[in-house]
Amino acid sequence: AQTVTQSQPEMSVQEAETVTLSCTYDTSESDYYLFWYKQPPSRQMILVIRQEAYKQQNATENRFSVNFQKAAKSFSLKISDSQLGDAAMYFCAYIRGGSNYKLTFGKGTLLTVNP
Amino acid sequence: DAGVIQSPRHEVTEMGQEVTLRCKPISGHDYLFWYRQTMMRGLELLIYFNNNVPIDDSGMPEDRFSAKMPNASFSTLKIQPSEPRDSAVYFCASSRRGGQGQPQHFGDGTRLSIL
């Protein structure tokens, strides 16, 4: 079974600084997708960024970017110029290609942004 | 466009009562997912539908849980009888066809408390 591990239960960053959240996953598949979701205190799950395993180029979305290391099975999220609104729980998630649509989530990392 | 709509947002009921959670997916989305979020187990997929047909219900914890999707714009998750350990946040999500790379869009969740 696929597993997703987020080794940092909590992280903190100063406003305007950069922070990196770690995620590793275990799979024997070659075709899969990886996601980062953000869950602020409002509880809503918001997609932050998506990465296709077959793409070597790291995905970016404005201040958010990933470092995807396929051989190492690592998928970290970098938040640049951190803002107070970035404070949330961040979840890394994996889904394999093929016919099954099961999205597997990590346990999450709680990010605090200090003013 | 309207997002995934869930109701109620909060539900508090007594043990043994029937609970029905409702979800309206994003129009045009072919896939609908029900998740449960708890502190102990994180986010777990309970069941998902494709074109109103249940595809994988292996995450449904017990026979007390049932889910239906009578049409493309409505789904229910029912617990009967409810127990205190069912207390959790239940999310509905939907995605369009096009493979597992299509992101899942989440509703705001229903916080369920069983007393």
Side-chain angles (χ1 to χ4, degrees):
Chain A
Q2 287 79 23
T3 57
V4 177
T5 303
Q6 294 179 249
S7 59
Q8 307 150 317
E10 298 184 23
M11 292 281 286
S12 64
V13 63
Q14 291 297 126
E15 196 175 3
E17 297 294 308
T18 296
V19 65
T20 299
L21 309 183
S22 301
C23 172
T24 59
Y25 56 95
D26 182 26
T27 184
S28 57
E29 305 290 333
S30 59
D31 179 22
Y32 54 87
Y33 301 84
L34 297 162
F35 304 85
W36 279 97
Y37 279 87
K38 167 186 176 182
Q39 186 177 39
S42 64
R43 200 171 73 205
Q44 186 182 13
M45 292 286 289
I46 303 165
L47 177 68
V48 175
I49 202 163
R50 176 182 68 173
Q51 176 78 44
E52 297 91 335
Y54 62 85
K55 287 189 178 178
Q56 292 186 337
Q57 186 175 5
N58 290 323
T60 62
E61 286 289 343
N62 300 314
R63 297 182 295 107
F64 298 87
S65 62
V66 298
N67 184 6
F68 173 49
Q69 301 290 328
K70 191 171 184 178
K73 296 180 183 176
S74 171
F75 183 61
S76 60
L77 176 69
K78 185 171 81 171
I79 306 174
S80 304
D81 185 25
S82 297
Q83 300 176 359
L84 295 178
D86 295 333
M89 183 74 85
Y90 286 81
F91 293 94
C92 179
Y94 163 99
I95 191 168
R96 68 178 173 88
S99 60
N100 191 293
Y101 279 68
K102 181 176 180 179
L103 190 59
T104 301
F105 286 88
K107 295 292 188 185
T109 296
L110 180 63
L111 178 66
T112 302
V113 180
N114 301 311
Chain B
D1 287 342
V4 175
I5 300 172
Q6 291 186 246
S7 63
R9 185 159 172 80
H10 304 276
E11 175 87 10
V12 180
T13 192
E14 303 240 331
M15 173 179 165
Q17 297 297 308
E18 178 179 290
V19 173
T20 300
L21 310 182
R22 297 171 176 79
C23 175
K24 176 179 171 56
I26 294 173
S27 177
H29 282 194
D30 294 327
Y31 290 86
L32 183 137
F33 307 83
W34 282 102
Y35 289 89
R36 179 172 67 176
Q37 185 178 33
T38 61
M39 288 294 292
M40 291 297 294
R41 301 174 67 88
L43 273 153
E44 304 172 283
L45 177 67
L46 300 177
I47 185 172
Y48 77 89
F49 295 81
N50 178 22
N51 291 325
N52 314 337
V53 177
I55 302 301
D56 185 344
D57 65 353
S58 60
M60 296 285 264
E62 302 172 35
D63 292 345
R64 298 184 296 105
F65 286 70
S66 63
K68 293 182 179 179
M69 192 165 185
N71 57 63
S73 59
F74 184 67
S75 176
T76 60
L77 179 66
K78 188 173 293 187
I79 309 172
Q80 167 64 19
S82 58
E83 297 183 4
R85 61 195 167 113
D86 302 330
S87 299
V89 178
Y90 290 82
F91 285 100
C92 177
S94 69
S95 70
R96 62 177 72 248
R97 75 176 67 184
Q100 288 78 355
Q102 293 296 323
Q104 295 180 19
H105 299 269
F106 285 74
D108 289 346
T110 295
R111 180 176 295 281
L112 177 63
S113 297
I114 308 297
L115 306 177

